[in-house]
Amino acid sequence: MATSPLSLLILSLFLSLSLHAQAQAPAAPAPASSGPVNFTAVLEKGGQFVTFMRLLNKTQTFNQIENQLNSSSEGMTIFAPTDNAFNNLKAGALNGLSQQQQVQLLQYHMLSKFYSLSNLLLVSNPVSTQASGHEGVWGLNFTGQSNQVNVSTGLVEVQINNPLRQDFPLAVYPIDKVLLPEELFGVNRTIASPPPPATSSGKSNSSETAAAEPSPGKNSAGGRNVALGSIVGLGLVCMGIIS
């Protein structure tokens, strides 16, 4: 059967419109690249973690975090104290720690697994941190309900704020208090005590001892006077006998 000119025209128009629509269709988005996580950029974007970042740099803990993020299949969870949290510490609290203890304090804010806020409500307490000592691994306890989660060390309890980041492999949660482990800040921690001051009884004993001991200078002078007197007396006796 012969095709009419009208049919050919309609078919041509249909093909033209189909090709035009395909040319205008947006291309499918490329899959997101799984590049390394920049933890530093996360804190810098938060804008209130200068002290925390300084300690991470000073102790080279930043390097540990970057290496773990790019090699672990479990991810990480980090609790980031704000600058106000550090400012509210007692004077000298950080300076009184050794370099190793500062590392332990920072590691106490890190979990070797990715946890969302809802996951933290389901964990079995205590949850192991990356900090450890002679007593073993140091842990944290999590409590709360709904979207409110609290973290406790035994010395400090604070609510976990909205995350700076909550995408695998890294979760970063701001906190308004520094998490103080009992192993470093508890009453049973080992500290170097200064020598006790001298007691009043000790001073009086020293004074009594000094008073009881005769002065070498005075004894020497007294001895010389006695010897001189003996010689003079002997001379007088001899003169009497001769006369």
Side-chain angles (χ1 to χ4, degrees):
M1 182 177 63
T3 304
S4 65
L6 181 60
S7 298
L8 291 174
L9 179 60
I10 293 174
L11 182 59
S12 299
L13 290 174
F14 177 77
L15 291 173
S16 299
L17 290 174
S18 297
L19 293 173
H20 181 73
Q22 291 178 3
Q24 296 296 325
S33 60
S34 56
V37 178
N38 191 337
F39 176 51
T40 305
V42 174
L43 293 180
E44 288 177 343
K45 185 177 180 180
Q48 52 181 340
F49 305 96
V50 176
T51 305
F52 188 46
M53 294 176 65
R54 178 177 59 80
L55 285 173
L56 290 170
N57 276 319
K58 175 185 176 184
T59 59
Q60 299 184 351
T61 310
F62 254 136
N63 297 335
Q64 171 197 338
I65 295 172
E66 298 290 347
N67 292 335
Q68 183 171 343
L69 283 174
N70 296 311
S71 61
S72 172
S73 59
E74 297 291 327
M76 286 187 72
T77 300
I78 299 176
F79 302 100
T82 61
D83 290 331
N84 285 335
F86 282 103
N87 291 337
N88 290 332
L89 290 176
K90 292 182 179 179
L94 293 180
N95 294 333
L97 300 178
S98 67
Q99 178 86 356
Q100 178 59 32
Q101 288 173 330
Q102 289 182 5
V103 171
Q104 290 174 312
L105 176 62
L106 293 173
Q107 291 175 335
Y108 193 60
H109 291 72
M110 305 174 191
L111 309 180
S112 299
K113 186 177 179 180
F114 173 86
Y115 289 98
S116 65
L117 278 177
S118 56
N119 292 149
L120 290 174
L121 290 173
L122 304 175
V123 297
S124 298
N125 290 317
V127 178
S128 297
T129 69
Q130 292 192 356
S132 62
H134 298 298
E135 308 85 354
V137 178
W138 304 351
L140 293 171
N141 295 301
F142 297 91
T143 57
Q145 57 185 356
S146 185
N147 292 327
Q148 178 178 330
V149 184
N150 295 339
V151 56
S152 172
T153 73
L155 296 176
V156 173
E157 182 172 358
V158 62
Q159 180 177 338
I160 299 174
N161 296 326
N162 292 330
L164 292 175
R165 175 192 166 99
Q166 195 177 206
D167 297 318
F168 186 86
L170 176 63
V172 182
Y173 301 105
I175 49 177
D176 294 326
K177 293 182 181 179
V178 179
L179 301 177
L180 303 179
E182 290 186 302
E183 292 80 359
L184 292 181
F185 296 91
V187 293
N188 294 325
R189 69 189 179 109
T190 303
I191 57 175
S193 301
T199 60
S200 57
S201 58
K203 290 182 179 179
S204 60
N205 290 340
S206 300
S207 302
E208 291 171 1
T209 303
E213 295 180 354
S215 170
K218 292 180 179 179
N219 285 345
S220 300
R224 287 194 297 270
N225 292 336
V226 170
L228 180 60
S230 299
I231 293 172
V232 171
L234 182 59
L236 292 175
V237 171
C238 292
M239 289 175 64
I241 293 174
I242 294 173
S243 60

